[in-house]
Amino acid sequence: MSTIAENIAKVAARIRAAAQASGRDPAQVQLLAVSKTKPAQAVREAFACGQRDFGENYLQEALSKQQELADLPITWHFIGPIQSNKTRPIAEHFAWVHSVDRLKIAQRLSEQRPTNLPPLKICLQVNISGEASKSGCTPEELPALAAAVTKLTNLQLCGLMAIPEPSDDLAQQRAACAQLRQLASDLQPPLATLSMGMSHDLEAAIAEGATWVRIGTALFGARDYATPHS
Ligand SMILES: *Cc1c(COP(=O)(O)O)cnc(C)c1O
């Protein structure tokens, strides 16, 4: 087996164990393979193991990888920060966007979504307390943002996403994820999709209801940021 195949098997086992430990059906937790900074060949290897959903953060890198891999029926997710002048290619070339954090971006994605494609699936990124990233709406802004995004015709609002501050403490990891779950269930109507959990905290995220875990390092190894990305 290749390293990637072994890693996929290990991550799948972690997901199963975490789901079972909290009485959840492992099939409710989907694996998003985060391939940012990794070559198209790594995606191809993961695809050969049955992985279909891949997440990318950097638009130019993602678009060139998509071209190289156009022969594969991959479901592409955009998970990085979004500049408003970059929304059109995102609307055209992805099935999901996990990192929408303001209405202007959502409006542009909806206007620019080609009408021959299904609605773009959206998670709103929330900056929960102590979040490492500067992206994300505040919990206070979330209800109005969700209500406005629901009205946009070419988007389908599915859920929430967060990038909690890295912590080695399971209780702290769970508290952050519980906060996102609570925010999703407090919305009217509640949102079912929870995109949370990365290589170091997927167990905590699954215990708190994650439906997408976004895993990079545990599948593809450590990233090398020596080369610039855009
Ligand atoms: C890079 C990244 C991931 C994957 O993180 P790992 O710790 O490598 O698993 C997940 N989500 C987002 C938004 C990322 O930018």
Side-chain angles (χ1 to χ4, degrees):
M1 268 208 287
S2 77
T3 309
I4 289 175
E6 286 171 4
N7 289 347
I8 288 179
K10 281 184 205 156
V11 168
R14 282 176 66 188
I15 292 172
R16 265 196 313 278
Q20 279 159 4
S22 47
R24 298 184 60 203
D25 177 357
Q28 292 172 348
V29 185
Q30 290 186 272
L31 172 59
L32 178 59
V34 177
S35 45
K36 65 177 180 221
T37 81
K38 299 297 176 182
Q41 182 54 32
V43 174
R44 209 171 269 287
E45 272 183 54
F47 184 92
C49 302
Q51 180 64 31
R52 294 293 177 267
D53 290 273
F54 290 87
E56 289 281 341
N57 292 55
Y58 309 106
L59 184 60
Q60 289 317 316
E61 178 194 340
L63 294 176
S64 62
K65 231 175 274 182
Q66 288 177 351
Q67 263 187 348
E68 274 186 78
L69 298 165
D71 56 314
L72 303 182
I74 286 173
T75 301
W76 291 101
H77 299 236
F78 194 81
I79 63 173
I82 305 172
Q83 293 165 262
S84 60
N85 63 348
K86 301 274 182 70
T87 50
R88 185 177 297 279
I90 294 175
E92 290 174 347
H93 295 282
F94 290 82
W96 282 79
V97 181
H98 292 232
S99 45
V100 172
D101 63 359
R102 54 196 197 277
L103 184 57
K104 182 185 175 193
I105 296 293
Q107 284 167 333
R108 291 176 64 92
L109 290 172
S110 182
E111 282 160 19
Q112 294 166 344
R113 179 68 168 171
T115 48
N116 63 318
L117 295 179
L120 186 58
K121 294 186 163 143
I122 300 293
C123 292
L124 299 176
Q125 184 174 353
V126 186
N127 194 324
I128 51 179
S129 63
E131 177 155 349
S133 148
K134 284 192 287 288
S135 311
C137 72
T138 65
E140 293 71 31
E141 289 165 340
L142 178 63
L145 178 59
V149 170
T150 303
K151 299 200 182 99
L152 299 173
T153 31
N154 298 323
L155 304 186
Q156 180 189 350
L157 179 59
C158 296
L160 303 184
M161 182 274 236
I163 310 173
E165 184 178 24
S167 163
D168 292 330
D169 178 43
L170 183 67
Q172 208 170 319
Q173 293 173 357
R174 283 192 61 158
C177 292
Q179 213 188 329
L180 194 71
R181 169 169 50 77
Q182 189 66 49
L183 288 169
S185 65
D186 285 348
L187 289 173
Q188 269 324 316
L191 295 177
T193 298
L194 288 174
S195 170
M196 58 187 189
M198 303 173 28
S199 293
H200 67 284
D201 66 353
L202 75 85
E203 283 80 7
I206 290 171
E208 296 298 341
T211 62
W212 281 111
V213 289
R214 308 180 310 268
I215 309 298
T217 309
L219 294 177
F220 299 115
R223 286 178 292 273
D224 175 5
Y225 284 105
T227 44
H229 294 277
S230 60

